[in-house]
mmCIF file of all heavy atoms in Angstrom:
data_model
loop_
_atom_site.group_PDB
_atom_site.id
_atom_site.type_symbol
_atom_site.label_atom_id
_atom_site.label_comp_id
_atom_site.label_asym_id
_atom_site.label_seq_id
_atom_site.Cartn_x
_atom_site.Cartn_y
_atom_site.Cartn_z
ATOM 1 N N ARG A 50 90.743 89.098 92.344
ATOM 2 C CA ARG A 50 91.069 90.305 91.637
ATOM 3 C C ARG A 50 89.968 90.716 90.642
ATOM 4 O O ARG A 50 90.116 91.761 89.953
ATOM 5 C CB ARG A 50 92.381 90.080 90.829
ATOM 6 C CG ARG A 50 93.573 89.801 91.737
ATOM 7 C CD ARG A 50 94.847 89.680 90.932
ATOM 8 N NE ARG A 50 95.992 89.440 91.825
ATOM 9 C CZ ARG A 50 96.693 90.360 92.450
ATOM 10 N NH1 ARG A 50 96.378 91.642 92.286
ATOM 11 N NH2 ARG A 50 97.717 90.046 93.221
ATOM 12 N N PHE A 51 88.875 89.999 90.617
ATOM 13 C CA PHE A 51 87.800 90.276 89.684
ATOM 14 C C PHE A 51 86.477 90.547 90.452
ATOM 15 O O PHE A 51 85.773 89.593 90.744
ATOM 16 C CB PHE A 51 87.659 89.119 88.715
ATOM 17 C CG PHE A 51 88.909 88.842 87.913
ATOM 18 C CD1 PHE A 51 89.905 87.979 88.405
ATOM 19 C CD2 PHE A 51 89.096 89.448 86.698
ATOM 20 C CE1 PHE A 51 91.056 87.761 87.693
ATOM 21 C CE2 PHE A 51 90.271 89.241 85.963
ATOM 22 C CZ PHE A 51 91.257 88.395 86.505
ATOM 23 N N PRO A 52 86.225 91.814 90.738
ATOM 24 C CA PRO A 52 85.092 92.141 91.571
ATOM 25 C C PRO A 52 83.758 91.729 90.990
ATOM 26 O O PRO A 52 82.747 91.558 91.715
ATOM 27 C CB PRO A 52 85.151 93.656 91.723
ATOM 28 C CG PRO A 52 86.033 94.131 90.626
ATOM 29 C CD PRO A 52 86.994 93.045 90.336
ATOM 30 N N GLU A 53 83.711 91.496 89.661
ATOM 31 C CA GLU A 53 82.461 91.094 89.041
ATOM 32 C C GLU A 53 81.931 89.788 89.598
ATOM 33 O O GLU A 53 80.707 89.604 89.760
ATOM 34 C CB GLU A 53 82.623 90.944 87.515
ATOM 35 C CG GLU A 53 83.019 92.214 86.802
ATOM 36 C CD GLU A 53 84.528 92.446 86.698
ATOM 37 O OE1 GLU A 53 85.280 91.776 87.479
ATOM 38 O OE2 GLU A 53 84.943 93.255 85.873
ATOM 39 N N VAL A 54 82.824 88.865 89.907
ATOM 40 C CA VAL A 54 82.427 87.539 90.485
ATOM 41 C C VAL A 54 81.671 87.745 91.756
ATOM 42 O O VAL A 54 80.586 87.181 91.996
ATOM 43 C CB VAL A 54 83.640 86.638 90.695
ATOM 44 C CG1 VAL A 54 83.247 85.401 91.446
ATOM 45 C CG2 VAL A 54 84.315 86.300 89.383
ATOM 46 N N TYR A 55 82.184 88.572 92.643
ATOM 47 C CA TYR A 55 81.619 88.762 93.979
ATOM 48 C C TYR A 55 80.360 89.610 93.942
ATOM 49 O O TYR A 55 79.429 89.360 94.689
ATOM 50 C CB TYR A 55 82.701 89.288 94.921
ATOM 51 C CG TYR A 55 83.859 88.358 94.948
ATOM 52 C CD1 TYR A 55 84.917 88.496 94.072
ATOM 53 C CD2 TYR A 55 83.869 87.307 95.835
ATOM 54 C CE1 TYR A 55 85.991 87.594 94.055
ATOM 55 C CE2 TYR A 55 84.934 86.397 95.861
ATOM 56 C CZ TYR A 55 85.971 86.546 94.954
ATOM 57 O OH TYR A 55 87.000 85.649 94.947
ATOM 58 N N ARG A 56 80.329 90.606 93.053
ATOM 59 C CA ARG A 56 79.102 91.356 92.930
ATOM 60 C C ARG A 56 77.971 90.477 92.380
ATOM 61 O O ARG A 56 76.830 90.567 92.866
ATOM 62 C CB ARG A 56 79.332 92.580 92.035
ATOM 63 C CG ARG A 56 78.101 93.482 91.816
ATOM 64 C CD ARG A 56 77.403 93.888 93.105
ATOM 65 N NE ARG A 56 78.264 94.462 94.124
ATOM 66 C CZ ARG A 56 78.544 95.757 94.227
ATOM 67 N NH1 ARG A 56 78.047 96.611 93.399
ATOM 68 N NH2 ARG A 56 79.317 96.183 95.226
ATOM 69 N N ALA A 57 78.273 89.624 91.418
ATOM 70 C CA ALA A 57 77.265 88.712 90.911
ATOM 71 C C ALA A 57 76.744 87.800 91.998
ATOM 72 O O ALA A 57 75.554 87.548 92.152
ATOM 73 C CB ALA A 57 77.804 87.931 89.705
ATOM 74 N N GLN A 58 77.676 87.271 92.798
ATOM 75 C CA GLN A 58 77.260 86.393 93.910
ATOM 76 C C GLN A 58 76.426 87.163 94.909
ATOM 77 O O GLN A 58 75.384 86.627 95.384
ATOM 78 C CB GLN A 58 78.503 85.812 94.600
ATOM 79 C CG GLN A 58 79.253 84.802 93.719
ATOM 80 C CD GLN A 58 80.485 84.234 94.421
ATOM 81 O OE1 GLN A 58 80.873 84.741 95.475
ATOM 82 N NE2 GLN A 58 81.083 83.242 93.822
ATOM 83 N N ALA A 59 76.838 88.362 95.239
ATOM 84 C CA ALA A 59 76.034 89.156 96.209
ATOM 85 C C ALA A 59 74.608 89.408 95.692
ATOM 86 O O ALA A 59 73.637 89.329 96.446
ATOM 87 C CB ALA A 59 76.729 90.479 96.507
ATOM 88 N N LEU A 60 74.487 89.700 94.405
ATOM 89 C CA LEU A 60 73.181 89.984 93.831
ATOM 90 C C LEU A 60 72.349 88.704 93.717
ATOM 91 O O LEU A 60 71.131 88.788 93.571
ATOM 92 C CB LEU A 60 73.313 90.671 92.460
ATOM 93 C CG LEU A 60 73.970 92.070 92.504
ATOM 94 C CD1 LEU A 60 74.147 92.611 91.103
ATOM 95 C CD2 LEU A 60 73.143 92.995 93.368
ATOM 96 N N LEU A 61 73.008 87.569 93.746
ATOM 97 C CA LEU A 61 72.302 86.285 93.768
ATOM 98 C C LEU A 61 72.006 85.851 95.211
ATOM 99 O O LEU A 61 71.561 84.723 95.445
ATOM 100 C CB LEU A 61 73.118 85.231 93.056
ATOM 101 C CG LEU A 61 73.164 85.390 91.514
ATOM 102 C CD1 LEU A 61 74.216 84.486 90.945
ATOM 103 C CD2 LEU A 61 71.799 85.127 90.905
ATOM 104 N N GLY A 62 72.271 86.734 96.172
ATOM 105 C CA GLY A 62 71.891 86.455 97.579
ATOM 106 C C GLY A 62 73.013 86.093 98.502
ATOM 107 O O GLY A 62 72.748 85.776 99.663
ATOM 108 N N ALA A 63 74.249 86.084 98.048
ATOM 109 C CA ALA A 63 75.365 85.641 98.915
ATOM 110 C C ALA A 63 75.476 86.548 100.141
ATOM 111 O O ALA A 63 75.397 87.754 100.041
ATOM 112 C CB ALA A 63 76.674 85.621 98.153
ATOM 113 N N GLN A 64 75.698 85.889 101.254
ATOM 114 C CA GLN A 64 75.969 86.595 102.508
ATOM 115 C C GLN A 64 77.428 86.407 102.985
ATOM 116 O O GLN A 64 77.898 87.098 103.877
ATOM 117 C CB GLN A 64 75.004 86.098 103.599
ATOM 118 C CG GLN A 64 73.542 86.429 103.298
ATOM 119 C CD GLN A 64 72.596 85.486 104.004
ATOM 120 O OE1 GLN A 64 72.533 84.311 103.688
ATOM 121 N NE2 GLN A 64 71.878 86.024 104.970
ATOM 122 N N ALA A 65 78.103 85.430 102.374
ATOM 123 C CA ALA A 65 79.485 85.150 102.687
ATOM 124 C C ALA A 65 80.149 84.559 101.458
ATOM 125 O O ALA A 65 79.522 83.909 100.647
ATOM 126 C CB ALA A 65 79.606 84.193 103.872
ATOM 127 N N PHE A 66 81.453 84.821 101.325
ATOM 128 C CA PHE A 66 82.288 84.314 100.262
ATOM 129 C C PHE A 66 83.308 83.365 100.843
ATOM 130 O O PHE A 66 83.963 83.677 101.838
ATOM 131 C CB PHE A 66 83.027 85.437 99.527
ATOM 132 C CG PHE A 66 82.137 86.534 98.985
ATOM 133 C CD1 PHE A 66 82.460 87.875 99.189
ATOM 134 C CD2 PHE A 66 80.989 86.243 98.262
ATOM 135 C CE1 PHE A 66 81.678 88.890 98.688
ATOM 136 C CE2 PHE A 66 80.179 87.259 97.751
ATOM 137 C CZ PHE A 66 80.515 88.590 97.955
ATOM 138 N N LEU A 67 83.483 82.196 100.218
ATOM 139 C CA LEU A 67 84.403 81.180 100.680
ATOM 140 C C LEU A 67 85.497 81.046 99.587
ATOM 141 O O LEU A 67 85.224 80.665 98.465
ATOM 142 C CB LEU A 67 83.697 79.829 100.875
ATOM 143 C CG LEU A 67 82.410 79.956 101.708
ATOM 144 C CD1 LEU A 67 81.712 78.568 101.805
ATOM 145 C CD2 LEU A 67 82.674 80.517 103.100
ATOM 146 N N VAL A 68 86.774 81.341 99.976
ATOM 147 C CA VAL A 68 87.819 81.565 98.971
ATOM 148 C C VAL A 68 89.090 80.728 99.294
ATOM 149 O O VAL A 68 90.026 81.255 99.921
ATOM 150 C CB VAL A 68 88.201 83.052 98.864
ATOM 151 C CG1 VAL A 68 89.031 83.276 97.575
ATOM 152 C CG2 VAL A 68 86.947 83.919 98.838
ATOM 153 N N PRO A 69 89.167 79.454 98.861
ATOM 154 C CA PRO A 69 90.443 78.755 98.946
ATOM 155 C C PRO A 69 91.515 79.446 98.072
ATOM 156 O O PRO A 69 91.215 79.862 96.948
ATOM 157 C CB PRO A 69 90.106 77.356 98.386
ATOM 158 C CG PRO A 69 88.603 77.265 98.463
ATOM 159 C CD PRO A 69 88.094 78.671 98.277
ATOM 160 N N SER A 70 92.751 79.506 98.539
ATOM 161 C CA SER A 70 93.771 80.261 97.862
ATOM 162 C C SER A 70 95.142 79.652 98.015
ATOM 163 O O SER A 70 95.403 78.885 98.994
ATOM 164 C CB SER A 70 93.836 81.735 98.374
ATOM 165 O OG SER A 70 92.612 82.352 98.168
ATOM 166 N N SER A 71 96.061 80.001 97.105
ATOM 167 C CA SER A 71 97.498 79.752 97.260
ATOM 168 C C SER A 71 98.222 80.997 96.749
ATOM 169 O O SER A 71 98.935 80.952 95.753
ATOM 170 C CB SER A 71 97.944 78.489 96.503
ATOM 171 O OG SER A 71 97.633 78.562 95.145
ATOM 172 N N PHE A 72 98.019 82.078 97.406
ATOM 173 C CA PHE A 72 98.540 83.392 96.978
ATOM 174 C C PHE A 72 100.047 83.432 97.094
ATOM 175 O O PHE A 72 100.612 82.976 98.109
ATOM 176 C CB PHE A 72 97.913 84.494 97.857
ATOM 177 C CG PHE A 72 97.242 85.581 97.089
ATOM 178 C CD1 PHE A 72 96.018 85.406 96.486
ATOM 179 C CD2 PHE A 72 97.846 86.851 96.956
ATOM 180 C CE1 PHE A 72 95.386 86.430 95.765
ATOM 181 C CE2 PHE A 72 97.238 87.862 96.259
ATOM 182 C CZ PHE A 72 96.001 87.639 95.666
ATOM 183 N N ARG A 73 100.713 83.976 96.083
ATOM 184 C CA ARG A 73 102.166 84.080 96.090
ATOM 185 C C ARG A 73 102.622 85.114 97.160
ATOM 186 O O ARG A 73 101.956 86.136 97.391
ATOM 187 C CB ARG A 73 102.682 84.545 94.748
ATOM 188 C CG ARG A 73 102.241 83.646 93.559
ATOM 189 C CD ARG A 73 102.962 82.331 93.552
ATOM 190 N NE ARG A 73 102.658 81.571 92.356
ATOM 191 C CZ ARG A 73 103.405 81.584 91.247
ATOM 192 N NH1 ARG A 73 104.499 82.310 91.187
ATOM 193 N NH2 ARG A 73 103.069 80.857 90.206
ATOM 194 N N LEU A 74 103.792 84.866 97.734
ATOM 195 C CA LEU A 74 104.358 85.794 98.704
ATOM 196 C C LEU A 74 104.541 87.182 98.153
ATOM 197 O O LEU A 74 104.232 88.200 98.755
ATOM 198 C CB LEU A 74 105.665 85.271 99.248
ATOM 199 C CG LEU A 74 106.450 86.168 100.186
ATOM 200 C CD1 LEU A 74 105.691 86.382 101.467
ATOM 201 C CD2 LEU A 74 107.843 85.547 100.466
ATOM 202 N N GLU A 75 105.051 87.256 96.879
ATOM 203 C CA GLU A 75 105.402 88.539 96.296
ATOM 204 C C GLU A 75 104.183 89.454 96.121
ATOM 205 O O GLU A 75 104.258 90.658 96.282
ATOM 206 C CB GLU A 75 106.097 88.337 94.934
ATOM 207 C CG GLU A 75 107.463 87.621 95.020
ATOM 208 C CD GLU A 75 107.296 86.118 95.006
ATOM 209 O OE1 GLU A 75 106.187 85.580 95.050
ATOM 210 O OE2 GLU A 75 108.375 85.476 94.971
ATOM 211 N N THR A 76 103.053 88.887 95.745
ATOM 212 C CA THR A 76 101.873 89.676 95.576
ATOM 213 C C THR A 76 101.047 89.747 96.870
ATOM 214 O O THR A 76 100.402 90.747 97.133
ATOM 215 C CB THR A 76 100.968 89.083 94.470
ATOM 216 O OG1 THR A 76 100.705 87.710 94.738
ATOM 217 C CG2 THR A 76 101.663 89.212 93.100
ATOM 218 N N GLY A 77 101.097 88.683 97.646
ATOM 219 C CA GLY A 77 100.298 88.644 98.856
ATOM 220 C C GLY A 77 100.613 89.715 99.849
ATOM 221 O O GLY A 77 99.705 90.292 100.487
ATOM 222 N N ARG A 78 101.898 90.068 99.994
ATOM 223 C CA ARG A 78 102.249 91.027 101.024
ATOM 224 C C ARG A 78 101.716 92.431 100.723
ATOM 225 O O ARG A 78 101.567 93.253 101.631
ATOM 226 C CB ARG A 78 103.762 91.064 101.217
ATOM 227 C CG ARG A 78 104.584 91.364 99.978
ATOM 228 C CD ARG A 78 106.057 91.019 100.198
ATOM 229 N NE ARG A 78 106.804 91.198 98.974
ATOM 230 C CZ ARG A 78 108.010 90.623 98.771
ATOM 231 N NH1 ARG A 78 108.531 89.899 99.737
ATOM 232 N NH2 ARG A 78 108.653 90.835 97.640
ATOM 233 N N ASP A 79 101.405 92.673 99.451
ATOM 234 C CA ASP A 79 100.848 94.008 99.074
ATOM 235 C C ASP A 79 99.381 93.946 98.774
ATOM 236 O O ASP A 79 98.670 94.934 98.936
ATOM 237 C CB ASP A 79 101.562 94.582 97.875
ATOM 238 C CG ASP A 79 103.023 94.935 98.180
ATOM 239 O OD1 ASP A 79 103.277 95.397 99.297
ATOM 240 O OD2 ASP A 79 103.872 94.728 97.310
ATOM 241 N N HIS A 80 98.859 92.804 98.320
ATOM 242 C CA HIS A 80 97.518 92.776 97.756
ATOM 243 C C HIS A 80 96.496 91.954 98.554
ATOM 244 O O HIS A 80 95.310 92.179 98.431
ATOM 245 C CB HIS A 80 97.550 92.216 96.319
ATOM 246 C CG HIS A 80 98.418 92.992 95.396
ATOM 247 N ND1 HIS A 80 98.835 92.509 94.166
ATOM 248 C CD2 HIS A 80 98.958 94.254 95.483
ATOM 249 C CE1 HIS A 80 99.581 93.413 93.563
ATOM 250 N NE2 HIS A 80 99.685 94.475 94.352
ATOM 251 N N TRP A 81 96.931 90.946 99.276
ATOM 252 C CA TRP A 81 96.043 89.939 99.874
ATOM 253 C C TRP A 81 94.986 90.596 100.772
ATOM 254 O O TRP A 81 93.781 90.489 100.531
ATOM 255 C CB TRP A 81 96.889 88.941 100.668
ATOM 256 C CG TRP A 81 96.186 87.914 101.477
ATOM 257 C CD1 TRP A 81 96.150 87.824 102.838
ATOM 258 C CD2 TRP A 81 95.435 86.776 101.002
ATOM 259 N NE1 TRP A 81 95.456 86.732 103.252
ATOM 260 C CE2 TRP A 81 95.009 86.057 102.137
ATOM 261 C CE3 TRP A 81 95.127 86.292 99.741
ATOM 262 C CZ2 TRP A 81 94.254 84.877 102.072
ATOM 263 C CZ3 TRP A 81 94.372 85.116 99.653
ATOM 264 C CH2 TRP A 81 93.941 84.436 100.797
ATOM 265 N N GLU A 82 95.418 91.267 101.816
ATOM 266 C CA GLU A 82 94.455 91.858 102.733
ATOM 267 C C GLU A 82 93.566 92.934 102.071
ATOM 268 O O GLU A 82 92.381 93.025 102.325
ATOM 269 C CB GLU A 82 95.161 92.468 103.965
ATOM 270 C CG GLU A 82 94.199 93.043 104.975
ATOM 271 C CD GLU A 82 94.874 93.547 106.237
ATOM 272 O OE1 GLU A 82 96.005 93.070 106.544
ATOM 273 O OE2 GLU A 82 94.272 94.373 106.936
#
């Protein structure tokens, strides 16, 4: 939910993001994808 993390990684050269998660059902069905 914090795009700053991923933009900083991209600007540091990231080509892929690896994201372990335990997303809640209530938020996941609307927000995850």
Side-chain angles (χ1 to χ4, degrees):
R50 297 183 180 276
F51 300 88
E53 297 90 343
V54 172
Y55 301 90
R56 180 51 51 90
Q58 290 179 350
L60 295 177
L61 289 169
Q64 296 157 292
F66 304 133
L67 311 177
V68 193
S70 300
S71 58
F72 234 75
R73 304 289 186 94
L74 175 64
E75 294 86 354
T76 54
R78 57 194 174 201
D79 293 324
H80 301 165
W81 174 249
E82 182 176 337

